Amino acid sequence: MRLFDVLGPVMTGPSSSHTAGAVRIGLTARKLLGEPPARAEILLHGSFAATGRGHGTDRALVAGLLGMQPDDARIPGSFALARQAGLAFSVGTIALRGAHPNTAVLRLEGSTGHRLEVVGASIGGGRIRICSIDGITTDFGADQDTLIVHNQDSPGHVATVTACLSGHGINIATMQLYRSAAGGKAVMVLECDEPIPEEVAVYLRRQPGIVKVTTLNL
Amino acid sequence: MAYPSVREMLAACQAEHLPLHEVILRSDLAESGLTREDSLAEMHRMWSVMCRTSAEYREEDRSNSGFAGGDAAKVEAAARAGLLLGGDYLNQVLAEALKTAECNACMKRIVAAPTAGSCGVLPAVLLPLWRAGLADEEAVCRALYVAAGFGQVIAARATLAGAEGGCQAEVGAASAMAAAALVYLKGGTAEACAEAFAMALTNLEGLVCDPVAGLVEIPCIKRNVIGAMNAVSAADMALAGVVGHIPADEVIDAMAEVGAAMSRDLRETGIGGLAGTPTGQAIREIVTMAQEEA
Ligand code: SF4
């Protein structure tokens, strides 16, 4: 473990999993949405549901949706700040089957009407996994620059995406493919060594069979 | 790379003729790719947050559950009134451990050291020395490198997570790191730091993680006090030349073994131990009810 992971990080208490990790789930969901959220339905599962209020998990998720980092001192006051920022939100609970005990479901609508559902788990020490996007299973840590492509499950899309990235000199660190059912919807998650430029997203969005392109640049 | 053993960390001091903090700093630079200036600036930032957390403590702050807050102020008032047993330093250690741990429960900014639950231990033993002018900021930062280096060895051989190893891995680890830091500040040798570290970890071996209602409040806040007090006594023993007989690496390995043998109910699940007592369960009920109302 690196030195400043042992002595650090600086974070707003009380819990790295229930507070700091929750901020990161909210922040990642905001970046995936690609615009400030105007509405958010937040659902807490498992230990998040049982102890979330005491740990400030609800306020941490909202703080992340507002773009705050885990060490932001304004996290405890995020509910009031959300009202000022025009974010309407609700917090409830949900029982998910087989999910990590520290899981949150975020259903978002952006200021221009984009919609997104993200399921994120806080897996300890402030680290997270994004477990699903719009109902399709994923598994990535949101700690690298990431390109997420929703497409029709038909041949050729992987080649299109990888060719486009290599054309821009972007190195792919890991790549995962998920699909809802054969011939149905599919999701590609590519963790990259460099930020993904907007031209890549614009180009890919124009390709037939590609439904949605999301970038997560750190 | 972080050292896989205390033995190798001390051997590197000998081989390279470098002080312990320097060996630890260099090993991290090689791993993290940070420049020396960045690393030092980051360590000074950690210390400045520790100072600020303590300075911004407010007697009236309470946690969301209502069960945490106000205790450090009580201790300080009692110390001023001359009601306590310890001397000046110990009274301050006691108050500072509570302060930072209460701030954490009240959603203030802290340095996880090594975890949020155990964040009060290192500042508790260091702040009083710094305030009294017995250690300047440079010396404190050197001691923090030493603390972190020992913590890295625990992470490599065992764990720093209560969910895996119980509270011995959080407050126990923080205490052992703090003991090493104190000996270093007092000019002790690297070997004496390792002795203090080993004795502190030994004395909290077996400590379970049993947070009431799953919150980082009961017993966590007061556990920071025993972590800090234990660090002071282990450091004092090492400075006096007392040895613990079991080498540091073997103590860490024993801690890992004991953690693995702990029931899951005693590893941050909020089920066993204090969390499972009638009162612990009643508090869980109250906290859950308050959650449903909100
Ligand atoms: S009891 Fe558990 S949660 Fe509390 S400080 Fe110890 S390890 Fe952390």
Side-chain angles (χ1 to χ4, degrees):
Chain A
M1 208 189 262
R2 290 201 182 159
L3 194 139
F4 289 109
D5 290 329
V6 171
L7 202 87
V10 175
M11 56 168 275
T12 295
S15 159
S16 56
S17 55
H18 286 65
T19 320
V23 176
R24 291 202 54 222
I25 291 174
L27 182 61
T28 302
R30 175 190 173 102
K31 289 184 180 163
L32 290 171
L33 182 66
E35 60 182 3
R39 284 173 191 286
E41 182 184 1
I42 298 169
L43 298 168
L44 305 175
H45 160 83
S47 172
F48 266 14
T51 66
R53 183 157 179 275
H55 281 124
T57 306
D58 44 7
R59 294 190 246 173
L61 286 163
V62 170
L65 287 174
L66 293 173
M68 291 182 213
Q69 299 282 347
D71 67 346
D72 202 305
R74 299 170 300 164
I75 293 168
S78 69
F79 284 4
L81 291 169
R83 277 190 286 277
Q84 287 168 23
L87 167 63
F89 66 92
S90 65
V91 182
T93 60
I94 189 169
L96 301 167
R97 250 198 297 158
H100 187 280
N102 299 331
T103 297
V105 179
L106 303 180
R107 296 190 180 130
L108 307 178
E109 192 182 314
S111 47
T112 70
H114 285 144
R115 285 168 184 273
L116 183 76
E117 185 190 282
V118 176
V119 179
S122 179
I123 59 170
R127 283 165 301 140
I128 64 167
R129 301 302 290 177
I130 298 299
C131 316
S132 112
I133 296 175
D134 286 341
I136 298 180
T137 304
T138 57
D139 180 24
F140 62 100
D143 50 3
Q144 290 186 62
D145 299 311
T146 308
L147 173 69
I148 300 128
V149 180
H150 286 60
N151 55 280
Q152 300 299 339
D153 187 14
S154 53
H157 297 304
V158 172
T160 308
V161 172
T162 52
C164 175
L165 285 175
S166 69
H168 282 82
I170 293 166
N171 200 33
I172 300 171
T174 73
M175 173 164 175
Q176 304 157 29
L177 301 173
Y178 308 92
R179 59 185 187 176
S180 52
K185 275 199 295 179
V187 173
M188 261 178 263
V189 176
L190 299 102
E191 294 180 305
C192 301
D193 292 336
E194 289 87 11
I196 294 109
E198 185 56 24
E199 308 101 81
V200 169
V202 170
Y203 170 80
L204 291 175
R205 278 187 197 113
R206 286 204 306 263
Q207 305 310 305
I210 290 185
V211 182
K212 187 171 179 178
V213 178
T214 314
T215 56
L216 178 74
N217 289 326
L218 298 182
Chain B
M1 279 295 291
Y3 286 97
S5 67
V6 171
R7 190 177 50 75
E8 285 158 90
M9 195 161 80
L10 299 193
C13 294
Q14 294 280 345
E16 296 166 35
H17 302 289
L18 288 171
L20 182 54
H21 74 272
E22 187 61 34
V23 161
I24 293 165
L25 168 62
R26 290 187 186 192
S27 82
D28 186 59
L29 296 186
E31 184 179 7
S32 66
L34 292 177
T35 65
R36 188 182 180 85
E37 291 66 41
D38 289 345
S39 177
L40 290 170
E42 186 65 0
M43 191 57 93
H44 281 273
R45 186 172 80 93
M46 295 299 142
W47 176 242
S48 72
V49 172
M50 287 181 182
C51 295
R52 192 165 347 129
T53 306
S54 166
E56 290 177 1
Y57 174 81
R58 293 286 167 272
E59 180 177 358
E60 58 279 9
D61 286 343
R62 292 296 176 275
S63 66
N64 294 326
S65 76
F67 283 94
D71 287 344
K74 285 184 192 165
V75 168
E76 285 186 329
R80 274 195 300 275
L83 300 173
L84 304 186
L85 299 164
D88 212 24
Y89 177 64
L90 287 186
N91 287 345
Q92 288 186 51
V93 170
L94 170 49
E96 291 297 339
L98 290 171
K99 253 186 214 177
T100 299
E102 289 183 75
C103 282
N104 180 56
C106 296
M107 296 189 79
K108 301 288 192 57
R109 244 159 39 134
I110 54 91
V111 180
T115 62
S118 58
C119 67
V121 175
L122 271 161
V125 302
L126 296 175
L127 281 166
L129 295 176
W130 170 74
R131 256 188 226 128
L134 298 170
D136 62 15
E137 184 167 334
E138 298 302 323
V140 167
C141 287
R142 288 194 291 272
L144 286 173
Y145 275 105
V146 169
F150 278 98
Q152 285 180 292
V153 181
I154 302 181
R157 299 181 84 89
T159 172
L160 295 171
E164 287 174 51
C167 201
Q168 56 168 2
E170 293 201 8
V171 167
S175 184
M177 289 159 61
L182 282 175
V183 170
Y184 204 67
L185 263 186
K186 284 293 246 177
T189 62
E191 287 69 26
C193 292
E195 272 311 325
F197 166 87
M199 286 190 282
L201 197 59
T202 301
N203 291 357
L204 290 176
E205 188 184 315
L207 193 63
V208 302
C209 172
D210 49 354
V212 169
L215 300 179
V216 193
E217 299 187 4
I218 311 165
C220 314
I221 293 172
K222 279 126 200 162
R223 290 240 170 106
N224 277 268
V225 174
I226 189 56
M229 291 294 190
N230 179 54
V232 175
S233 27
D236 271 347
M237 283 194 280
L239 288 165
V242 175
V243 293
H245 299 295
I246 311 289
D249 294 317
E250 294 181 38
V251 175
I252 300 173
D253 295 346
M255 182 207 117
E257 182 198 327
V258 169
M262 265 178 207
S263 151
R264 247 185 62 77
D265 290 1
L266 300 172
R267 287 189 277 160
E268 212 177 285
T269 46
I271 297 172
L274 294 167
T277 58
T279 304
Q281 288 182 354
I283 292 175
R284 172 182 281 277
E285 288 287 304
I286 296 168
V287 171
T288 317
M289 262 163 32
Q291 171 148 341
E292 272 155 15
E293 278 163 25

